[in-house]
């Protein structure tokens, strides 16, 4: 993207929060794939990753029954071994009450709901806020909102930030996750700028999140790294610790471990916890459980031993 | 000025590509006169794991093809082997076979592919059945492929043994991971180059080179492998059976007294196809 094409307001923000060295970031994250994590460290990492999963179903064909089975799996990912429950289930607002009924109270699994006209965010603010309030009333513990990318790219940064503030207010006690939809922001500089825009108005315990999972390009180690560094810089400047949630495209246990390495080496052990780091994923959980079973039994496992792997081959 | 020697790096054929071992290890292979031939990748259990993943991906597409088409593709593989017959004979001869024996082996291997290519659209008629039942139903027994199958090829004959074990498994829509001959791995590497040009979809036949002692336990215990077809010693047979028990894996051993026995009719049979299919019985009401 040509720098001159950026609106002046965005350019000023980028100057203020600092540029991203694209080559440097990519070289840095390439190193994460070379770390050797074995045996007990691997099992610890896999179990931690399971406890960080936001088990997600966001499809037009979601039904109460499907959400109920997702909740059952969230509480007990596998029938053998002592595999922990996941952090949360992530569903559409209309499915929140079905998830609440399936989970009950005190299951330890939180309910996250996407809101604000997910995934495009292209609805009047009034409508989006009403959706957030409705989801919280139905029992959502966490709200995943999308930012107004159109406004961001047009340089209306104040408007983007005001909208995030409005959603923070509408959330009440519920935690907020701000989806930047990095694939539509086009450059690392914009991702860092958008991260700061959100970080400056969210509360301790809220998250920034990479993507909706509805576009072609999703969470990568690169944009995860840019956002982690934004969180670190913001934390060092203000003392407010925000969380991070990469979403979409993380399908294997190996990838998940690489993301955890990025967290440990950028933010430290305090972020290796599901109150500060989450994975938005659906297929990932099966692979994590499969690798844990491999470590437990010593034999490579077949995917059809685990739920929701319909392929019999 | 003399030309620089151009040597070939042997790489086994896995998932439609020619790979090195993920471990980076190789082992030296010498020809029959003891001269150094090449370093061949020493595949690890992780290579086996990766091969199983690609084989499982390739499987449904391969099984969905018509039996007629699978037959055509096996025949095409025979054509490829025939076209490079001289090179394969030279290779077998270089690794210790007498030239006449090498010629017999390559021709038998080609004929074996043609034999099983012919079975592709016929075994169902022989193995399947319409069963007599005492009620107004049709009762069919039909076959389905099992999935991903492990093949442990004999050390000798390196080419014919491998093809005799692989062809009957893939003809019904299974995919295979093959451990090639440890003593003579190069013919399998060469065969991989023919597989790559034979219309066989990538991932249906995956060839690994390496050590039997290292890889057999993983073949036996890998739960995603549904069956194993092996030419193995008594000790290896016991280890394979024990390892396979946990995942209730089907194990079939081909026991032939000498390498020459693979040449004859003992090396090919519809029973080799039968042992790697599942039978499904269907009840269907007779229409009024």
């Amino acid at each position: 993207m040509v720098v001159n094409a950026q609106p002046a307001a965005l350019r000023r923000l980028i100057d203020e929060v600092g540029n991203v060295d694209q080559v440097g970031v990519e070289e840095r994250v390439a190193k994460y794939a070379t770390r050797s994590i074995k045996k007990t460290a691997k099992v610890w990492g896999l179990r931690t990753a399971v406890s960080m999963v936001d088990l997600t179903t966001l499809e037009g064909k979601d039904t109460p029954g499907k959400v109920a089975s997702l909740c059952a799996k969230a509480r007990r990912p596998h029938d053998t071994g002592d595999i922990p429950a996941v952090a949360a289930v992530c569903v559409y607002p209309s499915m929140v009450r079905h998830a609440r009924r399936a989970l009950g109270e005190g299951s330890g699994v939180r309910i996250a709901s996407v809101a604000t006209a997910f995934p495009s965010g292209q609805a009047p603010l009034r409508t989006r806020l009403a959706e957030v309030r409705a989801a919280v009333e139905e029992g959502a513990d966490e709200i995943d909102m999308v930012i107004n990318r159109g406004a961001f790219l047009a340089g209306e940064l104040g408007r983007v930030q005001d909208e995030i503030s409005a959603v923070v207010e509408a959330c009440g006690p519920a935690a907020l996750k701000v989806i930047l939809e990095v694939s539509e922001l086009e450059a690392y500089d914009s991702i860092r700028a958008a991260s700061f825009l959100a970080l400056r108005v969210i509360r301790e315990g809220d998250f920034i999140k990479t993507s909706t999972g509805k576009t072609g390009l999703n969470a990568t180690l690169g944009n995860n790294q840019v956002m982690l560094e934004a969180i670190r810089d913001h934390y060092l400047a203000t003392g407010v610790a925000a969380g991070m949630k990469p979403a979409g495209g993380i399908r294997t246990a190996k990838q998940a471990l690489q993301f955890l390495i990025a967290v440990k080496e950028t933010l430290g052990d305090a972020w290796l916890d599901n109150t500060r780091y989450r994975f938005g994923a659906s297929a990932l959980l099966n692979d994590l459980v499969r690798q844990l079973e491999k470590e437990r039994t010593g034999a490579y496992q077949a995917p059809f031993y685990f739920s929701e792997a319909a392929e019999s081959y | 000025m003399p030309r620089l020697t151009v040597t070939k790096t042997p790489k086994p054929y896995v998932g439609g590509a020619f790979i090195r071992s993920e471990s980076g290890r190789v082992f030296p292979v010498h020809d029959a006169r003891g001269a150094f031939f090449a370093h061949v990748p020493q595949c690890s259990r992780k290579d086996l794991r990766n091969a199983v993943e690609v084989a499982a991906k390739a499987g449904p597409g391969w099984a969905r093809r018509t039996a007629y088409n699978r037959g055509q593709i096996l025949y095409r593989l025979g054509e490829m082997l025939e076209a490079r017959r001289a090179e394969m004979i030279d290779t077998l001869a270089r690794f210790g076979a007498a030239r006449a024996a090498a010629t017999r082996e390559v021709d038998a291997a080609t004929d074996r592919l043609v034999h099983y290519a012919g079975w592709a659209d016929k075994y169902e008629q022989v193995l399947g059945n319409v069963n007599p039942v005492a009620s107004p139903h049709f009762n069919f027994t039909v076959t389905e492929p099992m999935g991903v199958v492990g093949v442990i090829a004999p050390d000798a004959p390196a080419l014919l043994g491998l093809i005799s074990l692989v062809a009957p498994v893939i003809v019904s829509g299974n995919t295979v991971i093959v451990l090639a001959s440890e003593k003579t791995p190069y013919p399998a590497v060469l065969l991989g180059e023919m597989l790559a040009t034979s219309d066989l979809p990538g991932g249906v036949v995956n060839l690994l080179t390496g050590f039997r002692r290292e890889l057999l336990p993983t073949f036996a215990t890998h739960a995603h492998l549904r069956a194993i077809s092996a030419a193995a010693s008594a000790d290896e047979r016991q280890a394979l059976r024990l390892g396979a028990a946990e995942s209730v894996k089907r194990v079939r051993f081909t026991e032939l007294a000498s390498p020459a026995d693979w040449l004859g009719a003992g090396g090919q049979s519809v029973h080799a196809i039968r042992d790697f299919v599942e039978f499904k019985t269907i009840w269907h009401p007779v229409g009024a």
Side-chain angles (χ1 to χ4, degrees):
Chain A
M1 183 179 167
V2 185
V3 174
N4 290 339
Q6 287 172 341
L10 179 53
R11 211 157 58 237
R12 274 197 302 279
L13 178 62
I14 291 173
D15 285 345
E16 186 194 332
V17 301
N19 284 90
V20 177
D21 169 6
Q22 187 186 339
V23 175
V25 164
E26 274 160 17
E27 201 163 316
R28 175 105 184 84
V29 299
K31 292 262 164 42
Y32 294 147
T34 67
R35 305 280 188 270
S36 180
I37 309 280
K38 305 280 181 210
K39 304 285 172 199
T40 51
K42 184 176 184 181
V43 171
W44 185 88
L46 293 170
R47 287 176 59 88
T48 306
V50 169
S51 76
M52 288 174 169
V53 167
D54 277 7
L55 195 59
T56 303
T57 179
L58 297 171
E59 287 177 25
K61 60 183 183 186
D62 286 348
T63 59
K66 191 177 168 205
V67 169
S69 70
L70 188 82
C71 291
K73 182 168 177 178
R75 296 171 70 156
R76 196 170 159 77
H78 193 56
D79 56 1
T80 53
D82 54 342
I83 291 165
V86 305
V89 291
C90 183
V91 294
Y92 273 124
S94 61
M95 290 294 145
V96 169
R97 59 201 174 93
H98 302 299
R100 178 51 70 203
R101 193 180 311 136
L103 284 173
E105 304 292 337
S107 66
V109 177
R110 294 162 68 88
I111 296 173
S113 173
V114 294
T116 72
F118 181 92
S120 68
Q122 300 282 22
L125 181 60
R126 205 170 55 242
T127 319
R128 282 181 273 156
L129 293 176
E131 196 185 358
V132 171
R133 287 192 200 98
V136 175
E137 269 169 37
E138 302 255 290
D141 302 303
E142 300 172 355
I143 297 293
D144 289 27
M145 73 166 285
V146 287
I147 66 163
N148 191 335
R149 282 92 72 191
F152 180 85
L153 292 170
E156 300 175 58
L157 304 184
R159 185 169 150 210
V160 176
Q161 201 158 32
D162 289 350
E163 288 182 0
I164 300 173
S165 303
V167 177
V168 168
E169 207 174 295
C171 277
L176 177 66
K177 305 194 197 96
V178 184
I179 303 173
L180 307 181
E181 193 60 301
V182 290
S183 66
E184 294 180 358
L185 297 183
E186 297 176 349
Y188 283 157
D189 282 347
S190 311
I191 295 174
R192 181 172 168 87
S195 302
F196 271 93
L197 215 54
L199 287 168
R200 284 171 180 175
V201 289
I202 61 178
R203 304 154 297 182
E204 173 107 20
D206 289 346
F207 290 73
I208 55 175
K209 172 174 167 184
T210 56
S211 27
T212 57
K214 298 287 184 195
T215 58
L217 187 72
N218 295 304
T220 62
L221 278 172
N223 49 45
N224 179 66
Q225 184 66 20
V226 171
M227 292 169 72
L228 289 178
E229 287 176 6
I231 291 172
R232 179 192 64 197
D233 295 348
H234 181 70
Y235 175 70
L236 293 175
T238 65
V240 175
M244 168 70 192
K245 175 177 172 184
I250 307 172
R251 309 182 69 81
T252 66
K254 192 179 232 175
Q255 281 176 294
L257 289 177
Q258 288 165 3
F259 277 79
L260 290 184
I261 292 165
V263 174
K264 182 170 170 74
E265 295 188 9
T266 310
L267 287 164
D269 290 352
W271 264 261
L272 286 177
D273 185 285
N274 67 12
T275 58
R276 291 198 184 167
Y277 200 78
R278 295 282 178 82
F279 291 106
S282 40
L284 172 63
L285 181 61
N286 269 353
D287 197 48
L288 288 169
V289 174
R290 186 179 170 202
Q291 301 311 325
L292 277 167
E293 281 297 282
K294 189 259 158 186
E295 293 300 318
R296 189 176 70 86
T297 61
Y300 288 120
Q301 302 292 304
F304 41 75
Y305 287 178
F306 303 91
S307 56
E308 287 181 31
E311 278 286 355
S312 63
Y313 213 98
Chain B
M1 210 174 112
R3 273 187 77 225
L4 284 175
T5 329
V6 179
T7 52
K8 180 163 148 189
T9 309
K11 295 202 282 185
Y13 181 68
V14 174
F18 295 93
I19 64 156
R20 290 185 159 88
S21 170
E22 60 79 36
S23 64
R25 298 174 308 175
V26 290
F27 63 101
V29 171
H30 298 86
D31 65 20
R33 284 173 305 169
F36 173 74
F37 173 71
H39 281 107
V40 174
Q42 183 191 339
C43 292
S44 66
R45 60 194 170 90
K46 284 191 182 172
D47 288 311
L48 171 56
R49 176 198 64 183
N50 297 344
V52 171
E53 298 294 320
V54 294
K57 276 210 179 66
W62 176 238
R64 258 198 310 277
R65 288 181 186 246
T66 60
Y68 179 64
N69 185 229
R70 285 199 301 271
Q72 284 177 312
I73 290 175
L74 274 183
Y75 188 86
R76 172 88 180 153
L77 178 56
E79 290 175 14
M80 293 298 111
L81 188 52
E82 184 73 12
R84 294 175 71 173
R85 180 169 174 267
E87 185 184 2
M88 192 57 101
I89 292 170
D90 287 346
T91 301
L92 294 181
R94 181 164 187 182
F95 288 101
R99 185 151 285 270
T103 306
R104 270 200 305 277
E105 183 181 342
V106 174
D107 289 346
T110 310
D111 294 349
R112 191 136 299 163
L113 286 167
V114 173
H115 174 86
Y116 284 112
W119 270 116
D121 55 2
K122 297 173 191 70
Y123 71 84
E124 184 73 66
Q125 295 90 304
V126 177
L127 301 179
N129 201 14
V130 180
N131 309 308
V133 288
S135 68
H137 291 87
F138 292 118
N139 186 285
F140 306 104
T141 297
V142 295
T143 68
E144 287 184 344
M146 298 184 78
V148 189
V149 175
V151 168
I152 314 292
D155 266 338
L159 176 71
L160 181 60
L162 191 155
I163 283 179
S164 302
L165 295 188
V166 167
V169 177
I170 61 173
V171 69
S172 60
N174 296 301
T175 55
V176 292
I177 321 294
V178 189
L179 179 57
S181 164
E182 181 178 322
K183 288 200 185 104
T184 321
Y186 187 67
V189 173
L190 202 55
L191 180 69
E193 292 163 17
M194 298 166 197
L195 291 168
T197 53
S198 69
D199 301 342
L200 198 74
V204 173
V205 175
N206 305 280
L207 304 169
L208 300 179
T209 50
F211 297 159
R212 294 169 78 96
R213 180 194 288 274
E214 178 188 354
L215 288 171
L216 248 51
T218 310
F219 267 97
T221 57
H222 196 313
H224 204 164
L225 290 172
R226 288 291 183 82
I228 289 185
S229 176
S233 71
D235 286 349
E236 290 172 338
R237 286 202 290 273
Q238 188 189 19
L240 282 170
R241 279 211 181 89
L242 282 172
E246 180 69 28
S247 51
V248 204
K249 190 178 283 137
R250 196 177 296 172
V251 187
R252 178 184 202 268
F253 296 114
T254 303
E255 296 181 45
L256 294 170
S258 82
D261 290 348
W262 291 84
L263 288 167
Q268 61 188 34
S269 149
V270 68
H271 300 300
I273 302 174
R274 187 194 59 193
D275 286 347
F276 298 98
V277 292
E278 297 284 5
F279 290 98
K280 182 166 77 176
T281 295
I282 302 153
W283 293 73
H284 191 284
V286 175

